[in-house]
């Protein structure tokens, strides 16, 4: 035996390769563990979201308590009402009478026996009892109704820049709806909070983080909130001079930080200008051209509408072709006391016309009293405030939407009607011609607008053609397009790539749907 043979280790046979079946089993097991981990993560995320929802609700309640304390109201609402009833019984009686009157008006229905019969108004006793009961709960007991319930469309990313929306109130309206849409569609990319001066009276929101600073708050209050929130971007929703001092204090506090700033101009007013504002966004090209033509960092983004909610109804009301309607907050920001006049004039010219006045506000009694003075209450339905989710059902009661506005920057209620297939008539003012891409159904006076209304009602085929044209135009206002534009604005101001999802590699698992 040679030396090499003595020292060389024996050669071991090679281990056999794992069987294909073993490979498949191991891969299946790994996939099972991954799926189980994903399920656990999803359940954990749901639990965290539930906790956040509870925390946000507590924050909202605290905001209401602070609001009451700031205005010197130390007692719960029921005890306040009891105190008022004892100290000022006459005022309490007037308050209750006002609730009864409003409930009676808004529970009145207008019907007719046939297409040739006159309209007749009658009070629905069940609706009256229900509305009066709800009004007493809100007015006497302080019960608060849910106004908006926000649900993000996608699971939140692990790392999100923080956006603070600055808006003087979060009542029901177009500006608040814009904030809600941004929360729902972009909240998974950007953690969003709100700074406001006024919470909704007798109402509440769900799924929002709200910081409350009343109009009389001092500059230091704003600085404290901004320091606590630490926003990466502040989105100011500006709508006019009345609340300008509040806006200015908020803007000064933000300008002292490194936060990016975007200002939305939501009404027909000049923007609040500041060198720190990175982008001005006007809600229509008309308003941008009038008030921001000299701004290089300005654009217009039309507010979006939900085309899955506002779409042609399965069936119109049987009397829709003889019915007209408007849907607004009855306040002097867009309307004036003369807004009811085209309706009155149209009904006088065409007595078989029924008119829906949908909305509530300080002009409610003015409009109702004006109709009563003309002896036309049998032709008018005053609904009061209608929940957003129920609007399509009310739109389906009339085929002609009327926009009798004194000022208009955009007005979502008109595209709502267009998406459902309504013809639209109104005043030739503001952004209405831009929205409709036409002036043919817009008048310059009460008489001209009323004449257009009557002419359309007398020509159902023309109304149908205009409705089809409006459906096509309304696609330009889809909420998805609006969200894409704001996503680009946010990304540009924050130095992001608008099409990337920070925190995740490109993967089908995390793709948006």
């Amino acid at each position: 035996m040679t030396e090499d043979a003595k020292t060389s280790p024996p050669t071991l046979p090679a281990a056999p390769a794992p069987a294909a079946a073993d490979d498949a089993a191991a891969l299946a097991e790994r996939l099972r563990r991954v799926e189980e981990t994903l399920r656990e993560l999803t359940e954990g995320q749901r639990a965290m979201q539930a906790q956040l929802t509870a925390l946000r609700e507590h924050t909202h309640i605290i905001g209401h308590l602070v609001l009451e304390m700031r205005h010197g109201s130390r007692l719960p609402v029921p005890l306040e009402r009891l105190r008022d009833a004892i100290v000022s019984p006459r005022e309490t009686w007037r308050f209750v009478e006002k609730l009864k009157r409003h409930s009676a008006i808004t529970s009145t229905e207008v019907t007719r026996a046939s297409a040739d019969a006159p309209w007749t108004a009658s009070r629905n006793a069940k609706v009256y009892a229900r509305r009066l009961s709800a009004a007493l709960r809100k007015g006497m007991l302080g019960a608060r109704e849910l106004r908006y319930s926000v649900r993000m469309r996608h699971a939140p990313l692990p790392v999100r820049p923080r956006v603070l929306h600055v808006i003087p109130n979060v009542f029901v309206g177009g500006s608040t709806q814009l904030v809600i849409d941004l929360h729902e569609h972009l909240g998974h990319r950007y953690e969003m909070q709100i700074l406001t001066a006024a919470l909704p009276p007798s109402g509440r929101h769900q799924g929002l983080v709200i910081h409350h600073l009343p109009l009389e708050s001092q500059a230091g209050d704003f600085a404290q909130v901004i320091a606590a929130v630490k926003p990466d971007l502040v989105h100011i929703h500006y709508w006019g001079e009345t609340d300008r001092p509040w806006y200015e204090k908020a803007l000064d506090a933000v300008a002292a930080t490194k936060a990016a700033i975007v200002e939305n101009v939501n009404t027909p007013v000049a923007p609040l200008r500041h060198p720190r504002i990175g982008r001005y966004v006007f809600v229509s090209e008309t308003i941008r051209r009038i008030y921001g033509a000299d701004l290089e960092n300005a654009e217009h983004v039309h507010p979006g509408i939900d085309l899955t909610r506002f779409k042609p109804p399965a069936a119109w009301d049987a009397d829709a072709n003889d019915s007209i309607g408007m849907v607004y907050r009855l306040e002097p920001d867009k309307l004036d006391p003369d807004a009811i006049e085209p309706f009155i004039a149209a009904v006088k010219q065409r007595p078989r016309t029924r008119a829906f006045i949908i909305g509530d506000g300080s002009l409610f009694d003015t409009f109702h009293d004006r109709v009563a003075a003309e002896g036309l209450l049998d032709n008018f339905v005053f609904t009061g405030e209608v929940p957003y989710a129920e609007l399509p059902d009310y739109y389906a009661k009339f085929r002609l939407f009327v926009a009798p506005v004194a000022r208009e920057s955009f007005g979502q209620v008109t595209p709502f009607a267009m998406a459902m297939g309504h013809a639209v008539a109104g005043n030739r003012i503001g952004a209405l011609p831009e929205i409709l891409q036409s002036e043919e159904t817009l008048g310059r006076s009460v008489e001209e607008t009323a004449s257009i209304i009557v002419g359309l009602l007398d020509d159902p085929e023309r109304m149908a053609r205009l409705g089809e044209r409006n459906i096509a135009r309304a696609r330009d206002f889809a909420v998805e397009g609006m969200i894409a534009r704001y996503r680009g604005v946010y990304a540009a101001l924050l130095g992001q790539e608008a099409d990337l999802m920070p925190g995740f590699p490109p993967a089908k698992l995390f793709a948006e749907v």
Side-chain angles (χ1 to χ4, degrees):
M1 183 177 294
T2 66
E3 190 66 20
D4 290 339
K6 292 179 182 179
T7 59
S8 299
T11 302
L12 298 176
D22 292 341
D23 280 346
L27 179 60
E29 176 61 20
R30 284 196 293 272
L31 288 173
R32 186 193 66 78
R33 288 199 298 270
V34 168
E35 291 176 355
E36 184 176 346
T37 301
L38 285 174
R39 281 196 296 271
E40 292 174 354
L41 287 171
T42 300
E43 290 301 320
Q45 184 184 68
R46 287 174 181 165
M48 290 177 64
Q49 288 177 334
Q51 293 173 357
L52 282 173
T53 298
L55 179 61
R56 288 167 179 167
E57 186 66 17
H58 284 302
T59 302
H60 185 72
I61 292 171
I62 290 170
H64 273 286
L65 294 175
V66 170
L67 178 62
E68 291 180 358
M69 292 176 66
R70 287 285 183 96
H71 286 81
S73 174
R74 304 277 179 176
L75 295 173
V77 173
L79 294 181
E80 277 194 352
R81 295 293 183 245
L82 178 60
R83 179 195 63 193
D84 294 343
I86 296 172
V87 176
S88 306
R90 183 173 298 178
E91 291 301 317
T92 299
W93 178 252
R94 289 175 180 170
F95 176 72
V96 172
E97 285 297 310
K98 185 176 181 179
L99 294 182
K100 290 171 61 178
R101 179 177 185 270
H102 192 274
S103 299
I105 293 172
T106 58
S107 61
T108 298
E109 300 172 346
V110 171
T111 57
R112 62 184 180 183
S114 67
D116 298 325
W119 295 101
T120 304
S122 61
R123 184 185 306 173
N124 186 314
K126 290 183 178 179
V127 174
Y128 172 68
R130 185 171 66 249
R131 295 198 172 187
L132 180 59
S133 175
L136 288 172
R137 283 200 307 273
K138 288 191 293 183
M140 303 301 290
L141 302 179
R144 295 181 295 116
E145 294 180 345
L146 184 63
R147 293 288 187 261
Y148 291 103
S149 180
V150 178
R151 296 288 184 271
M152 285 190 291
R153 301 299 177 95
H154 309 285
L157 302 182
V159 178
R160 293 178 293 165
R162 183 170 294 168
V163 174
L164 179 66
H165 295 277
V166 175
I167 182 171
N169 71 55
V170 283
F171 301 169
V172 174
S175 294
T176 304
Q177 185 62 52
L178 171 58
V179 174
I180 299 300
D181 287 338
L182 291 172
H183 268 78
E184 292 192 335
H185 293 270
L186 285 180
H188 66 297
R189 290 176 170 274
Y190 302 94
E191 179 193 339
M192 296 193 181
Q193 300 184 24
I194 297 172
L195 173 60
T196 189
L199 298 159
S202 70
R204 61 190 177 89
H205 302 324
Q206 206 171 59
L208 298 172
V209 177
I210 300 176
H211 306 270
H212 175 244
L213 288 178
L215 291 176
E216 66 271 16
S217 299
Q218 301 304 307
D221 299 328
F222 289 89
Q224 288 180 0
V225 171
I226 299 301
V229 176
K230 296 181 176 63
D232 298 290
L233 184 145
V234 173
H235 193 156
I236 298 174
H237 301 265
Y238 188 66
W239 59 46
E241 300 300 306
T242 304
D243 301 315
R244 186 184 180 98
W246 186 86
Y247 279 113
E248 288 176 335
K249 284 180 281 191
L251 180 54
D252 287 343
V254 175
T257 72
K258 295 181 179 180
I261 306 174
V262 56
E263 179 184 343
N264 246 82
V265 183
N266 296 346
T267 56
V269 295
L272 186 64
R273 300 191 179 212
H274 195 284
R276 283 278 284 107
I277 294 175
R279 189 74 61 88
Y280 296 87
V281 179
F282 294 80
V283 292
S284 66
E285 175 59 17
T286 300
I287 302 304
R288 188 206 66 78
R289 191 169 56 249
I290 295 172
Y291 297 103
D294 62 315
L295 291 170
E296 295 183 357
N297 57 338
E299 62 182 289
H300 80 272
V301 178
H302 291 136
I305 60 174
D306 185 353
L307 295 179
T308 65
R309 182 186 298 273
F310 295 95
K311 57 186 178 181
W316 294 94
D317 183 89
D319 294 309
N321 280 337
D322 281 329
S323 300
I324 60 179
M326 72 173 181
V327 182
Y328 288 98
R329 285 180 298 109
L330 307 186
E331 297 290 350
D333 53 347
K334 288 191 177 185
L335 307 177
D336 61 18
D338 290 335
I340 196 67
E341 298 303 325
F343 290 86
I344 291 174
V347 170
K348 281 185 171 181
Q349 292 180 39
R350 190 178 186 276
R352 67 179 185 275
T353 302
R354 176 178 58 171
F356 286 87
I357 309 301
I358 300 172
D360 208 345
S362 60
L363 292 172
F364 182 93
D365 288 339
T366 301
F367 290 169
H368 183 268
D369 292 348
R370 182 74 185 89
V371 172
E374 293 290 339
L376 298 175
L377 287 178
D378 278 340
N379 293 75
F380 280 76
V381 179
F382 289 84
T383 69
E385 184 178 311
V386 170
Y388 175 73
E390 297 177 17
L391 280 179
D393 293 335
Y394 279 87
Y395 272 99
K397 296 179 182 296
F398 53 90
R399 287 300 302 266
L400 178 57
F401 181 88
V402 179
V405 289
R407 292 158 292 278
E408 185 59 280
S409 54
F410 181 77
Q412 285 184 314
V413 292
T414 299
F416 288 168
M418 295 165 67
M420 292 191 65
H422 290 74
V424 175
N427 295 338
R428 192 176 302 178
I429 198 165
L432 276 176
E434 176 184 338
I435 295 170
L436 293 169
Q437 290 188 322
S438 171
E439 295 184 348
E440 66 176 287
T441 59
L442 302 176
R444 294 192 180 277
S445 66
V446 169
E447 294 75 20
E448 186 178 0
T449 300
S451 178
I452 291 171
I453 292 170
V454 171
L456 287 170
L457 291 173
D458 286 340
D459 191 349
E461 291 184 0
R462 185 183 175 210
M463 276 205 301
R465 288 196 303 272
L466 289 172
E468 290 298 320
R469 188 180 75 183
N470 286 340
I471 290 172
R473 169 60 173 158
R475 297 191 188 104
D476 294 337
F477 305 126
V479 69
E480 292 80 8
M482 179 198 78
I483 293 301
R485 295 285 300 277
Y486 278 107
R487 181 177 166 187
V489 170
Y490 285 6
L493 291 175
L494 292 173
Q496 299 174 326
E497 290 290 338
D499 293 327
L500 295 181
M501 298 182 67
F504 288 116
K508 184 176 180 181
L509 178 64
F510 302 109
E512 296 180 45
V513 294

